[in-house]
């Protein structure tokens, strides 16, 4: 089965979240997650984007969600897959994998 195109957005900022001082930066998490997903789900199509919550792109949905992260004081980075929040602050790979499997992704190990 071919998985549909999935959009993964990592919302964060250059400044580390006050509650996340000892955790990796948002950009580090983005790079780590991109590499981990490419290893876990090789040859499966997903689009991963880093969004700076203080300087979001022109996309209205990304601007609105960036504002939500700020207003609701969410722990960032916030990982969103096709509109579903799957992790905040220190996202767990298992949660991200489980969400992608709902879209038909299958592990390289299966």
């Amino acid at each position: 089965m071919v998985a549909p195109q999935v959009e993964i957005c990592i919302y964060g900022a250059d400044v580390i979240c006050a509650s996340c001082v000892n955790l990796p930066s948002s950009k580090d998490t983005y790079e780590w997650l991109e590499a981990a997903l490419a290893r876990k789900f090789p040859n499966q199509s997903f689009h991963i984007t880093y969004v700076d919550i203080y300087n979001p792109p022109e996309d209205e949905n990304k601007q609105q969600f960036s504002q939500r992260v700020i207003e609701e004081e969410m722990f960032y980075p916030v990982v969103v897959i096709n509109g579903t929040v799957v992790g905040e602050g220190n996202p767990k790979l298992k949660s991200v994998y489980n969400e992608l499997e709902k879209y038909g992704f299958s592990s390289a190990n299966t």
Side-chain angles (χ1 to χ4, degrees):
M1 179 169 123
V2 176
Q5 180 69 27
V6 172
E7 181 179 34
I8 304 163
C9 291
I10 312 301
Y11 290 85
D14 289 337
V15 177
I16 294 177
C17 160
S19 298
C20 307
V21 171
N22 294 319
L23 298 175
S25 73
S26 297
K27 284 187 179 175
D28 287 344
T29 298
Y30 160 77
E31 292 169 358
W32 163 77
L33 191 56
E34 183 176 38
L37 294 176
R39 279 191 307 275
K40 178 79 171 176
F41 303 112
N43 305 315
Q44 296 175 66
S45 181
F46 63 87
H47 179 73
I48 187 166
T49 305
Y50 175 77
V51 178
D52 185 324
I53 60 174
Y54 296 108
N55 189 23
E58 293 295 317
D59 181 299
E60 188 175 333
N61 290 331
K62 288 179 177 58
Q63 289 177 351
Q64 288 176 351
F65 194 84
S66 293
Q67 192 62 36
R68 180 178 160 202
V69 171
I70 295 166
E71 289 175 358
E72 295 180 15
E73 299 180 354
M74 298 173 86
F75 298 125
Y76 49 85
V78 179
V79 179
V80 179
I81 299 177
N82 284 1
T84 301
V85 175
V86 295
E88 281 185 59
N90 187 17
K92 305 291 182 239
L93 272 178
K94 186 168 178 70
S95 299
V96 175
Y97 291 164
N98 288 342
E99 187 66 22
L100 288 172
E101 287 167 356
K102 292 178 186 177
Y103 292 94
F105 280 67
S106 60
S107 171
N109 301 330
T110 57

PDB file of all heavy atoms in Angstrom, residues 2-19:
ATOM      1  N   VAL A   2       0.562   2.216  -0.817  1.00  0.00           N
ATOM      2  CA  VAL A   2       1.323   3.457  -0.896  1.00  0.00           C
ATOM      3  C   VAL A   2       0.688   4.479   0.047  1.00  0.00           C
ATOM      4  O   VAL A   2      -0.510   4.740  -0.016  1.00  0.00           O
ATOM      5  CB  VAL A   2       1.331   4.015  -2.339  1.00  0.00           C
ATOM      6  CG1 VAL A   2       2.031   5.350  -2.396  1.00  0.00           C
ATOM      7  CG2 VAL A   2       1.969   3.020  -3.284  1.00  0.00           C
ATOM      8  N   ALA A   3       1.500   5.017   0.927  1.00  0.00           N
ATOM      9  CA  ALA A   3       1.008   6.021   1.882  1.00  0.00           C
ATOM     10  C   ALA A   3       0.781   7.342   1.154  1.00  0.00           C
ATOM     11  O   ALA A   3       1.508   7.690   0.241  1.00  0.00           O
ATOM     12  CB  ALA A   3       2.016   6.213   3.002  1.00  0.00           C
ATOM     13  N   PRO A   4      -0.253   8.087   1.549  1.00  0.00           N
ATOM     14  CA  PRO A   4      -0.483   9.402   0.952  1.00  0.00           C
ATOM     15  C   PRO A   4       0.593  10.383   1.414  1.00  0.00           C
ATOM     16  O   PRO A   4       1.306  10.131   2.376  1.00  0.00           O
ATOM     17  CB  PRO A   4      -1.854   9.800   1.516  1.00  0.00           C
ATOM     18  CG  PRO A   4      -1.955   9.063   2.805  1.00  0.00           C
ATOM     19  CD  PRO A   4      -1.216   7.767   2.591  1.00  0.00           C
ATOM     20  N   GLN A   5       0.714  11.509   0.703  1.00  0.00           N
ATOM     21  CA  GLN A   5       1.663  12.547   1.125  1.00  0.00           C
ATOM     22  C   GLN A   5       1.248  13.042   2.505  1.00  0.00           C
ATOM     23  O   GLN A   5       0.093  13.374   2.727  1.00  0.00           O
ATOM     24  CB  GLN A   5       1.669  13.709   0.131  1.00  0.00           C
ATOM     25  CG  GLN A   5       2.621  14.827   0.502  1.00  0.00           C
ATOM     26  CD  GLN A   5       4.099  14.451   0.385  1.00  0.00           C
ATOM     27  OE1 GLN A   5       4.472  13.605  -0.383  1.00  0.00           O
ATOM     28  NE2 GLN A   5       4.930  15.099   1.163  1.00  0.00           N
ATOM     29  N   VAL A   6       2.166  13.059   3.404  1.00  0.00           N
ATOM     30  CA  VAL A   6       1.909  13.485   4.774  1.00  0.00           C
ATOM     31  C   VAL A   6       2.771  14.706   5.067  1.00  0.00           C
ATOM     32  O   VAL A   6       3.948  14.730   4.722  1.00  0.00           O
ATOM     33  CB  VAL A   6       2.236  12.343   5.768  1.00  0.00           C
ATOM     34  CG1 VAL A   6       2.162  12.815   7.198  1.00  0.00           C
ATOM     35  CG2 VAL A   6       1.294  11.167   5.544  1.00  0.00           C
ATOM     36  N   GLU A   7       2.159  15.715   5.706  1.00  0.00           N
ATOM     37  CA  GLU A   7       2.912  16.901   6.088  1.00  0.00           C
ATOM     38  C   GLU A   7       3.207  16.862   7.582  1.00  0.00           C
ATOM     39  O   GLU A   7       2.306  16.748   8.404  1.00  0.00           O
ATOM     40  CB  GLU A   7       2.140  18.176   5.756  1.00  0.00           C
ATOM     41  CG  GLU A   7       2.947  19.411   6.125  1.00  0.00           C
ATOM     42  CD  GLU A   7       2.257  20.719   5.801  1.00  0.00           C
ATOM     43  OE1 GLU A   7       1.025  20.780   5.890  1.00  0.00           O
ATOM     44  OE2 GLU A   7       2.986  21.663   5.473  1.00  0.00           O
ATOM     45  N   ILE A   8       4.482  16.950   7.889  1.00  0.00           N
ATOM     46  CA  ILE A   8       4.937  16.989   9.274  1.00  0.00           C
ATOM     47  C   ILE A   8       5.512  18.378   9.498  1.00  0.00           C
ATOM     48  O   ILE A   8       6.431  18.789   8.792  1.00  0.00           O
ATOM     49  CB  ILE A   8       6.014  15.925   9.538  1.00  0.00           C
ATOM     50  CG1 ILE A   8       5.494  14.529   9.162  1.00  0.00           C
ATOM     51  CG2 ILE A   8       6.484  15.974  10.994  1.00  0.00           C
ATOM     52  CD1 ILE A   8       6.576  13.493   8.999  1.00  0.00           C
ATOM     53  N   CYS A   9       4.971  19.104  10.462  1.00  0.00           N
ATOM     54  CA  CYS A   9       5.470  20.441  10.773  1.00  0.00           C
ATOM     55  C   CYS A   9       6.064  20.442  12.171  1.00  0.00           C
ATOM     56  O   CYS A   9       5.457  19.922  13.111  1.00  0.00           O
ATOM     57  CB  CYS A   9       4.355  21.488  10.700  1.00  0.00           C
ATOM     58  SG  CYS A   9       3.760  21.777   9.040  1.00  0.00           S
ATOM     59  N   ILE A  10       7.233  21.018  12.270  1.00  0.00           N
ATOM     60  CA  ILE A  10       7.891  21.199  13.553  1.00  0.00           C
ATOM     61  C   ILE A  10       7.835  22.697  13.844  1.00  0.00           C
ATOM     62  O   ILE A  10       8.461  23.485  13.160  1.00  0.00           O
ATOM     63  CB  ILE A  10       9.364  20.744  13.524  1.00  0.00           C
ATOM     64  CG1 ILE A  10       9.530  19.363  12.882  1.00  0.00           C
ATOM     65  CG2 ILE A  10       9.981  20.812  14.916  1.00  0.00           C
ATOM     66  CD1 ILE A  10       8.780  18.248  13.531  1.00  0.00           C
ATOM     67  N   TYR A  11       7.038  23.063  14.847  1.00  0.00           N
ATOM     68  CA  TYR A  11       6.907  24.473  15.235  1.00  0.00           C
ATOM     69  C   TYR A  11       7.847  24.739  16.393  1.00  0.00           C
ATOM     70  O   TYR A  11       7.830  24.012  17.389  1.00  0.00           O
ATOM     71  CB  TYR A  11       5.468  24.773  15.668  1.00  0.00           C
ATOM     72  CG  TYR A  11       4.487  24.758  14.531  1.00  0.00           C
ATOM     73  CD1 TYR A  11       3.907  23.576  14.093  1.00  0.00           C
ATOM     74  CD2 TYR A  11       4.138  25.938  13.874  1.00  0.00           C
ATOM     75  CE1 TYR A  11       3.008  23.557  13.043  1.00  0.00           C
ATOM     76  CE2 TYR A  11       3.242  25.934  12.820  1.00  0.00           C
ATOM     77  CZ  TYR A  11       2.683  24.743  12.410  1.00  0.00           C
ATOM     78  OH  TYR A  11       1.794  24.735  11.363  1.00  0.00           O
ATOM     79  N   GLY A  12       8.653  25.791  16.261  1.00  0.00           N
ATOM     80  CA  GLY A  12       9.587  26.102  17.323  1.00  0.00           C
ATOM     81  C   GLY A  12      10.139  27.501  17.176  1.00  0.00           C
ATOM     82  O   GLY A  12       9.610  28.324  16.427  1.00  0.00           O
ATOM     83  N   ALA A  13      11.211  27.756  17.902  1.00  0.00           N
ATOM     84  CA  ALA A  13      11.859  29.070  17.882  1.00  0.00           C
ATOM     85  C   ALA A  13      13.343  28.889  18.140  1.00  0.00           C
ATOM     86  O   ALA A  13      13.775  27.851  18.650  1.00  0.00           O
ATOM     87  CB  ALA A  13      11.241  29.967  18.944  1.00  0.00           C
ATOM     88  N   ASP A  14      14.106  29.918  17.788  1.00  0.00           N
ATOM     89  CA  ASP A  14      15.554  29.874  18.027  1.00  0.00           C
ATOM     90  C   ASP A  14      15.863  29.826  19.515  1.00  0.00           C
ATOM     91  O   ASP A  14      16.806  29.182  19.944  1.00  0.00           O
ATOM     92  CB  ASP A  14      16.245  31.075  17.391  1.00  0.00           C
ATOM     93  CG  ASP A  14      16.269  30.978  15.870  1.00  0.00           C
ATOM     94  OD1 ASP A  14      16.160  29.857  15.330  1.00  0.00           O
ATOM     95  OD2 ASP A  14      16.402  32.029  15.227  1.00  0.00           O
ATOM     96  N   VAL A  15      15.043  30.509  20.307  1.00  0.00           N
ATOM     97  CA  VAL A  15      15.223  30.524  21.760  1.00  0.00           C
ATOM     98  C   VAL A  15      14.567  29.270  22.327  1.00  0.00           C
ATOM     99  O   VAL A  15      13.420  28.965  22.000  1.00  0.00           O
ATOM    100  CB  VAL A  15      14.577  31.785  22.381  1.00  0.00           C
ATOM    101  CG1 VAL A  15      14.699  31.761  23.890  1.00  0.00           C
ATOM    102  CG2 VAL A  15      15.207  33.036  21.811  1.00  0.00           C
ATOM    103  N   ILE A  16      15.285  28.545  23.150  1.00  0.00           N
ATOM    104  CA  ILE A  16      14.745  27.318  23.735  1.00  0.00           C
ATOM    105  C   ILE A  16      13.644  27.656  24.726  1.00  0.00           C
ATOM    106  O   ILE A  16      13.754  28.581  25.524  1.00  0.00           O
ATOM    107  CB  ILE A  16      15.868  26.487  24.391  1.00  0.00           C
ATOM    108  CG1 ILE A  16      16.822  25.988  23.300  1.00  0.00           C
ATOM    109  CG2 ILE A  16      15.314  25.331  25.195  1.00  0.00           C
ATOM    110  CD1 ILE A  16      18.007  25.211  23.809  1.00  0.00           C
ATOM    111  N   CYS A  17      12.566  26.911  24.656  1.00  0.00           N
ATOM    112  CA  CYS A  17      11.416  27.057  25.552  1.00  0.00           C
ATOM    113  C   CYS A  17      11.909  27.023  27.005  1.00  0.00           C
ATOM    114  O   CYS A  17      12.735  26.189  27.365  1.00  0.00           O
ATOM    115  CB  CYS A  17      10.467  25.904  25.249  1.00  0.00           C
ATOM    116  SG  CYS A  17       9.275  25.466  26.471  1.00  0.00           S
ATOM    117  N   ALA A  18      11.391  27.933  27.825  1.00  0.00           N
ATOM    118  CA  ALA A  18      11.840  28.057  29.220  1.00  0.00           C
ATOM    119  C   ALA A  18      11.719  26.750  30.003  1.00  0.00           C
ATOM    120  O   ALA A  18      12.536  26.452  30.868  1.00  0.00           O
ATOM    121  CB  ALA A  18      11.054  29.156  29.918  1.00  0.00           C
ATOM    122  N   SER A  19      10.713  25.960  29.703  1.00  0.00           N
ATOM    123  CA  SER A  19      10.515  24.693  30.404  1.00  0.00           C
ATOM    124  C   SER A  19      11.322  23.559  29.789  1.00  0.00           C
ATOM    125  O   SER A  19      11.274  22.433  30.258  1.00  0.00           O
ATOM    126  CB  SER A  19       9.032  24.324  30.387  1.00  0.00           C
ATOM    127  OG  SER A  19       8.295  25.311  31.056  1.00  0.00           O
TER     128      SER A  19
END
